[in-house]
Amino acid sequence: MTFAFQKQNIVMQLYCNSLTKYSRLKTREIKIGDLLLGNLHPVRVQTMTTTDTMNTIATVEQTIRCIEAGAELVRITAPSKNEAENLLNIKNELRKRGYTTPLIADIHFTPNAAEVAARIVEKVRVNPGNYVDKKKFEQIDYTDAEYVEEIERIRERFTPLIKICKEYGTAMRIGTNHGSLSDRIMSRYGDTANGMVESAMEFLRIARGENYHNILLSMKSSNPQVMVQAYRLLIQQMDAEFGECYPLHLGVTEAGDGEDGRVKSAAGIGTLLEDGIGDTIRVSLTEDPEFEIPVCKDLVKRYAVDDKQLRVDGNIPAIETIPYSPFEYKRRETFAIDNIGAKHVPVVVADLSKTKKIIPSTLESVGYKYDETSDKWNIADAAADYIFTGHQLLNFALPGTLKVIVYPAAWALATDKEKYFPIFDAGGFAEAEQKSDAINFVMIDCFNDETSINDFTYLDELANDKTVVFCLSSSNKHAMPSLRRMFVELMNRKINNPVIINCDSHWQTADEHLIHYSTECGALLLDGFGDGICLGMNEESYELSTVNRKLSTGRTYLENQTPEQFINNTAFSILQATRTRISKTEYISCPSCGRTLFDLQETTAKIRSRTNHLKGVKIAIMGCIVNGPGEMADADFGYVGSGVGKITLYKGKEIMKKNIDSSIAVDELINLLKENDAWIDV
Ligand code: SF4
């Protein structure tokens, strides 16, 4: 298996079978208990318990709830030998109750616990960032000889575990986390996707040297950009070095809860699944673990149900050269038309064309609230930049920052040509007698069954017209590969007009819509494509979305809000998750596990309710001091459990307030934000 693509004199390495036809990446087959994984077996779904591992019955009962929800693997933390030993009681109780689902021990820092657990459960997870190395946040310069010595030290400490796994038929995940790279890796590779790959490869080389192959790998980060790049690089590296790939476990760490957790997870995991990558997935939500499973299933069912492939790609021409790097983020070069393109953050276009009569209060659903007393519009951080109203002109004065897109016949009647702009289909634009001097939106239906590459020669006529913004869509149910192909076509033809990504959902539930929008748009935005997004729903989904707003938790999402509000919030969440436009506070909260020292769900909700107006501030809420500080990645502030009833507060990686009482910890966090000019009064 080689993915070498020649581009001029540069060898551009691809990371999957195809960018235009859905095709699973074939990986080595591994066995976890009786479960086969990799080698094109269905993508397995899994989760992790949050109970205290020493509480056998609570852990057994939570594991059963996860299995009943559909988990095919369940992970349990083993922070020390005691918990590792108690895995035997948990396993025996599960077997007694008739459950044979493979169990995984989650190990950080403690090789002795791993060596006990590997004799009991079907799989162990080790973190190469802390299995042997102790993280001290130190920058040490290693000479080549010292570096080799360190690898030898790892070999000595890691080999006994490999031997036990071989003897007992136990599988292993080498699970790298962006937030917990060792000081040694950080000193040589920095905080990079390359460093994550090398961290895992060091362990994988040792395992292969021992002829042990029952291995899978993960490259998790709370930043989907880094996570996607790291998995792609890892595939490329394994292919180059071994000529084969080990199975991949996909996940976005500390994704948070509710809508944001789903959007962030789908942007990262969904982007990779679209390219046929991934053999098992875990969605890390700050919610009860059984609620993660329906989200996993919604992600996976987009590609296959009972071995039947669901994604149909239509007639998309193959990509012979890729004119961008899939391994580092670089936004496609465009020129600016008003506030769209070039260095402007991606705009949000809200589709209000299904609203029969738009009045001032309609705009509340897209971030504009009219105050009659002061005769002023209050504009939210997540306010749409453009609205599409179809044939409708509005009979009231609009907020200053908002512009309207309408069909050409309506635009011809509009008196305010600085506020209203026409949207044409490609043929209509060529023939139109009247066009805007400022912005003309031109719709392009990309590569469905009826179109071929030759149908797009007209693009050259529109190319670099300084008024034309392309609106790319596809009638294919999975539109992303068609749109990505069109972005490649634009780059190949050196067309630098800005582009709005149009994404329609045909799904029904809130979870399904969130996953669809986040996967389809996320996959493009993470590769630097798109100067704006416009999300829509077909008529049937639009009707359903008013009644079908339940998340997998059973909680109603955005109760009493219109479909337009749901869509507008989702659009801003996707831009935030892909780090292309920041419009709200970012929460990096761990999913909790047996190490957790406080009620994470309740505390996260409490912190969110006090700080959700702090646009752009990243706050981490982590359950334990052992992994929390490392895993909270690039958070600006951290709230970390450091003992029973005790919290330690961080600014970046620096401890600011140690072991304060949890009853005053949220207030102290607010004080810390104030002391550091990160607070604004509401
Ligand atoms: S940070 Fe959270 S999920 Fe990670 S080990 Fe600590 S408590 Fe468990």
Side-chain angles (χ1 to χ4, degrees):
M1 178 174 63
T2 4
F3 305 120
F5 267 54
Q6 293 287 336
K7 192 199 171 230
Q8 290 144 11
N9 292 326
I10 309 161
V11 177
M12 294 281 293
Q13 295 279 321
L14 199 54
Y15 54 87
C16 61
N17 294 337
S18 169
L19 291 174
T20 50
K21 291 266 170 277
Y22 181 69
S23 167
R24 283 277 304 281
L25 179 74
K26 192 167 174 353
T27 54
R28 268 188 96 116
E29 183 173 277
I30 67 162
K31 198 161 180 279
I32 309 168
D34 292 332
L35 187 81
L36 293 175
L37 187 146
N39 190 23
L40 309 184
H41 286 293
V43 178
R44 309 296 185 187
V45 300
Q46 59 172 292
T47 184
M48 182 169 173
T49 56
T50 57
T51 46
D52 177 354
T53 308
M54 294 309 288
N55 187 337
T56 307
I57 293 305
T59 305
V60 164
E61 285 175 355
Q62 192 177 57
T63 302
I64 291 172
R65 286 197 293 280
C66 296
I67 296 169
E68 296 291 345
E72 294 170 281
L73 295 150
V74 178
R75 184 157 44 117
I76 300 169
T77 190
S80 75
K81 264 178 96 174
N82 286 347
E83 285 86 356
E85 278 157 6
N86 201 47
L87 290 172
L88 184 61
N89 295 326
I90 293 168
K91 185 174 171 180
N92 287 343
E93 183 63 24
L94 282 164
R95 299 293 177 267
K96 205 168 90 192
R97 298 191 193 191
Y99 293 91
T100 55
T101 302
L103 301 178
I104 310 161
D106 195 58
I107 306 290
H108 294 269
F109 297 104
T110 44
N112 58 353
E115 289 163 16
V116 171
R119 293 179 164 94
I120 298 170
V121 292
E122 288 80 4
K123 181 178 152 201
V124 286
R125 177 268 167 122
V126 297
N127 179 342
N130 60 30
Y131 190 74
V132 177
D133 297 297
K134 300 280 172 277
K135 187 140 183 87
K136 299 193 186 101
F137 299 106
E138 280 175 3
Q139 184 82 16
I140 305 160
D141 280 331
Y142 289 85
T143 62
D144 286 351
E146 283 166 343
Y147 204 92
V148 171
E149 260 176 48
E150 286 290 298
I151 301 289
E152 277 316 304
R153 199 165 63 83
I154 291 171
R155 187 188 305 282
E156 264 173 41
R157 202 65 198 88
F158 183 44
T159 304
L161 177 64
I162 295 171
K163 294 205 161 126
I164 295 166
C165 287
K166 277 180 79 173
E167 187 187 339
Y168 285 78
T170 310
M172 182 191 296
R173 168 158 67 101
I174 301 173
T176 300
N177 275 6
H178 183 215
S180 56
L181 293 174
S182 67
D183 289 340
R184 182 175 42 75
I185 287 285
M186 290 282 279
S187 69
R188 184 150 290 199
Y189 298 90
D191 181 13
T192 61
N194 254 321
M196 292 171 70
V197 171
E198 191 50 28
S199 169
M201 289 298 286
E202 289 175 355
F203 277 62
L204 184 56
R205 288 182 199 115
I206 295 170
R208 278 177 65 93
E210 294 294 322
N211 200 20
Y212 172 65
H213 302 283
N214 210 16
I215 293 177
L216 67 163
L217 299 104
S218 61
M219 298 275 113
K220 296 193 187 182
S221 168
S222 66
N223 177 346
Q225 246 176 36
V226 174
M227 172 259 188
V228 165
Q229 288 161 6
Y231 278 100
R232 289 172 175 174
L233 274 169
L234 175 67
I235 292 165
Q236 192 195 50
Q237 184 65 36
M238 287 195 284
D239 180 50
E241 207 170 315
F242 311 134
E244 64 175 349
C245 282
Y246 287 81
L248 295 170
H249 163 129
L250 308 184
V252 173
T253 47
E254 286 85 38
D257 60 352
E259 171 227 11
D260 286 343
R262 283 158 177 77
V263 167
K264 216 180 198 190
S265 298
I269 297 171
T271 293
L272 293 163
L273 289 175
E274 278 290 319
D275 285 334
I277 295 166
D279 300 285
T280 176
I281 65 169
R282 191 243 168 146
V283 172
S284 304
L285 298 175
T286 310
E287 295 176 11
D288 292 345
E290 60 268 33
F291 296 139
E292 295 178 354
I293 300 301
V295 185
C296 291
K297 286 182 169 176
D298 281 345
L299 271 158
V300 168
K301 78 179 182 200
R302 294 165 51 82
Y303 309 95
V305 172
D306 297 334
D307 290 341
K308 188 169 170 289
Q309 186 172 309
L310 293 188
R311 200 182 101 174
V312 183
D313 291 313
N315 186 20
I316 310 174
I319 295 174
E320 277 154 30
T321 60
I322 38 176
Y324 62 92
S325 169
F327 308 116
E328 59 185 335
Y329 179 80
K330 186 165 179 283
R331 188 159 163 197
R332 173 182 158 255
E333 233 167 80
T334 56
F335 52 80
I337 301 180
D338 197 352
N339 59 344
I340 310 175
K343 298 267 181 279
H344 294 289
V345 292
V347 294
V348 170
V349 180
D351 180 358
L352 299 186
S353 62
K354 292 190 179 73
T355 306
K356 294 215 168 39
K357 174 99 183 108
I358 298 170
I359 55 175
S361 63
T362 312
L363 300 187
E364 265 185 51
S365 61
V366 296
Y368 296 88
K369 189 164 183 184
Y370 180 63
D371 178 35
E372 258 181 64
T373 330
S374 62
D375 187 26
K376 281 203 174 117
W377 289 93
N378 294 317
I379 305 173
D381 286 327
D385 307 280
Y386 291 78
I387 50 174
F388 169 60
T389 62
H391 299 287
Q392 215 179 139
L393 298 176
L394 310 183
N395 62 0
F396 55 90
L398 288 163
T401 52
L402 183 65
K403 293 169 188 147
V404 187
I405 305 169
V406 287
Y407 288 126
W411 178 73
L413 301 173
T415 48
D416 187 352
K417 297 279 195 272
E418 289 189 0
K419 276 279 183 197
Y420 284 83
F421 302 97
I423 184 162
F424 299 93
D425 59 34
F429 180 73
E431 288 159 16
E433 285 174 10
Q434 229 193 331
K435 297 172 185 173
S436 166
D437 295 333
I439 317 176
N440 295 287
F441 294 89
V442 177
M443 291 185 290
I444 298 176
D445 186 359
C446 311
F447 306 110
N448 55 35
D449 272 338
E450 283 84 46
T451 51
S452 80
I453 200 80
N454 298 327
D455 296 324
F456 292 100
T457 46
Y458 71 84
L459 283 174
D460 293 328
E461 284 158 37
L462 308 181
N464 305 324
D465 177 329
K466 295 288 190 290
T467 69
V468 170
V469 175
F470 292 125
C471 299
L472 301 189
S473 65
S474 169
S475 40
N476 294 340
K477 193 172 172 190
H478 283 248
M480 192 284 289
S482 323
L483 265 64
R484 179 166 60 189
R485 181 65 184 85
M486 185 54 78
F487 276 108
V488 167
E489 194 62 24
L490 294 176
M491 290 179 94
N492 287 344
R493 289 174 191 258
K494 309 228 172 320
I495 297 175
N496 293 333
N497 300 62
V499 170
I500 306 288
I501 296 166
N502 279 36
C503 177
D504 278 339
S505 175
H506 306 261
W507 296 89
Q508 296 186 350
T509 68
D511 270 358
E512 288 169 340
H513 289 308
L514 286 173
I515 287 167
H516 179 78
Y517 291 135
S518 311
T519 297
E520 295 265 310
C521 298
L524 296 168
L525 291 162
L526 290 175
D527 273 333
F529 297 139
D531 305 288
I533 57 175
C534 178
L535 310 182
M537 274 180 201
N538 67 1
E539 290 289 346
E540 197 193 343
S541 302
Y542 183 84
E543 295 301 324
L544 275 166
S545 72
T546 55
V547 290
N548 207 344
R549 206 76 67 69
K550 290 248 190 287
L551 290 180
S552 55
T553 54
R555 271 192 291 124
T556 305
Y557 171 64
L558 295 180
E559 203 164 9
N560 302 325
Q561 294 200 11
T562 62
E564 286 79 9
Q565 267 166 305
F566 170 79
I567 289 173
N568 191 61
N569 286 326
T570 304
F572 279 96
S573 296
I574 292 169
L575 296 178
Q576 175 109 2
T578 53
R579 305 220 170 171
T580 49
R581 178 171 178 174
I582 303 300
S583 57
K584 50 187 174 180
T585 323
E586 174 119 0
Y587 298 97
I588 298 163
S589 59
C590 81
S592 89
C593 71
R595 291 180 190 263
T596 310
L597 294 162
F598 58 89
D599 185 332
L600 247 154
Q601 292 182 36
E602 195 189 305
T603 309
T604 304
K606 205 160 145 194
I607 293 175
R608 189 187 279 276
S609 73
R610 305 266 310 264
T611 60
N612 64 6
H613 61 294
L614 303 177
K615 175 177 163 180
V617 179
K618 293 194 209 107
I619 301 175
I621 304 140
M622 311 298 287
C624 75
I625 198 90
V626 185
N627 283 331
E631 304 280 337
M632 65 195 188
D634 57 353
D636 302 313
F637 297 93
Y639 179 107
V640 180
S642 50
V644 179
K646 298 288 172 213
I647 301 296
T648 293
L649 299 179
Y650 287 74
K651 180 181 169 215
K653 299 276 183 224
E654 202 186 328
I655 293 180
M656 304 304 286
K657 300 183 186 189
K658 204 171 176 182
N659 287 334
I660 51 177
D661 203 276
S662 59
S663 60
I664 55 160
V666 175
D667 288 332
E668 285 297 318
L669 174 68
I670 309 295
N671 289 338
L672 184 63
L673 292 165
K674 287 180 179 167
E675 287 155 20
N676 288 280
D677 297 329
W679 179 261
I680 42 171
D681 288 322
V682 198

